[in-house]
């Protein structure tokens, strides 16, 4: 087989409706990889859930995480590319989360580890959501509060709300030359 690079998304592509990769899919991918296929994924997800999802697949090149913000080498167990958000923009986003009364997560990468912070405009049902996500993906329990966490190591934000409520911040961030995406949780 000639060298072929295959990059797959996870959600709505490689994952089934239960957000899992089937044994059959793993077997097929591993067969192609053994024959020379260069296989990786590109996803908006972070490392912890992705590692769990990819368990049993012989991914042979670095994976693309958080919409391209991080590139991680599974065989070396390290980030090989990190795109940090400039400090001034981090401070502006944190202030805007408060001003727009938004909820979400902020991700900081230090010493090859991601620390997650959260801020929620409404605390209703959010504690159980956070605990369940942390258990499901064996991830670090997020720390509360974004405001005092301005750092040059911030790499990503996930803000959760309706498109209408997020639109104002989206438009503002486009003027700051920030890469930003809307996407719907398909689960």
């Amino acid at each position: 087989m000639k060298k072929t690079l295959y990059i797959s998304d996870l959600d709505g592509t490689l994952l089934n409706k239960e957000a899992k990769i089937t044994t059959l899919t793993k077997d097929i991918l591993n067969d192609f990889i053994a024959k020379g296929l260069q296989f990786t994924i590109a996803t908006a997800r972070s490392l912890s859930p992705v590692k769990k999802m990819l368990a049993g697949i012989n991914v042979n090149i670095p994976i693309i995480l958080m919409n391209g913000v991080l590139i991680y080498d599974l065989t070396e167990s390290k980030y090989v590319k990190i795109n940090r958000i400039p400090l001034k923009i981090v401070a502006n986003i944190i202030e805007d989360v408060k001003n727009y009364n938004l909820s979400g997560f902020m991700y900081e990468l230090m010493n090859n580890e991601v620390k997650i912070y959260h801020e929620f405009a409404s605390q209703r049902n959010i504690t159980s959501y956070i605990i369940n996500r942390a258990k499901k993906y064996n991830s670090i329990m997020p720390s509360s509060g974004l405001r005092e966490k301005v750092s040059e190591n911030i790499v990503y934000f996930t803000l959760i709300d309706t498109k209408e409520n997020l639109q104002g911040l989206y438009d503002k961030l486009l003027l700051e030359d920030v890469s930003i995406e809307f996407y719907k949780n398909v689960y």
Side-chain angles (χ1 to χ4, degrees):
M1 173 182 245
K2 69 179 183 177
K3 289 255 184 202
T4 302
L5 172 63
Y6 186 85
I7 303 171
S8 177
D9 187 12
L10 291 175
D11 298 289
T13 307
L14 200 58
L15 302 179
N16 63 16
K17 291 179 182 175
E18 289 78 40
K20 295 181 180 177
I21 302 171
T22 67
T23 302
L24 176 61
T25 299
K26 289 179 182 186
D27 290 345
I28 291 168
L29 284 171
N30 283 332
D31 183 50
F32 278 111
I33 291 167
K35 292 176 181 170
L37 177 76
Q38 301 233 327
F39 175 77
T40 192
I41 56 98
T43 182
R45 292 175 179 263
S46 61
L47 180 61
S48 186
V50 170
K51 279 175 78 172
K52 188 173 182 180
M53 291 170 178
L54 294 177
I57 301 175
N58 301 319
V59 177
N60 53 8
I61 58 175
I63 58 176
I64 303 162
L65 302 168
M66 301 177 123
N67 289 324
V69 169
L70 302 171
I71 299 178
Y72 187 84
D73 189 324
L74 291 165
T75 59
E76 298 287 326
S77 296
K78 69 177 185 178
Y79 292 95
V80 295
K81 177 71 175 158
I82 302 164
N83 294 298
R84 291 178 174 85
I85 302 172
L87 198 56
K88 180 180 182 245
I89 293 175
V90 169
N92 289 344
I93 293 172
I94 291 171
E95 185 63 28
D96 287 337
V97 166
K98 177 183 172 187
N99 292 340
Y100 286 90
N101 200 32
L102 298 173
S103 301
F105 299 93
M106 178 176 74
Y107 301 81
E108 179 181 41
L109 181 65
M110 286 183 20
N111 304 320
N112 214 35
E113 298 220 358
V114 173
K115 182 159 186 178
I116 306 167
Y117 303 94
H118 66 84
E119 188 75 40
F120 285 90
S122 166
Q123 293 296 320
R124 195 182 85 229
N125 298 324
I126 204 58
T127 302
S128 63
Y129 170 81
I130 292 170
I131 291 169
N132 288 336
R133 298 288 290 188
K135 284 181 187 175
K136 181 176 181 179
Y137 297 119
N138 295 330
S139 61
I140 300 166
M141 189 67 173
S143 300
S144 181
L146 306 183
R147 291 177 203 8
E148 57 281 340
K149 307 299 181 193
V150 177
S151 159
E152 67 274 355
N153 295 308
I154 303 302
V155 294
Y156 200 79
F157 285 86
T158 298
L159 301 176
I160 305 165
D161 211 315
T162 63
K163 184 175 182 181
E164 293 76 25
N165 289 346
L166 292 167
Q167 190 70 52
L169 180 56
Y170 176 89
D171 294 340
K172 183 178 179 193
L173 290 174
L174 285 178
L175 297 175
E176 295 196 40
D177 197 30
V178 173
S179 178
I180 186 167
E181 299 294 329
F182 279 121
Y183 59 92
K184 185 176 182 176
N185 183 343
V186 297
Y187 303 105

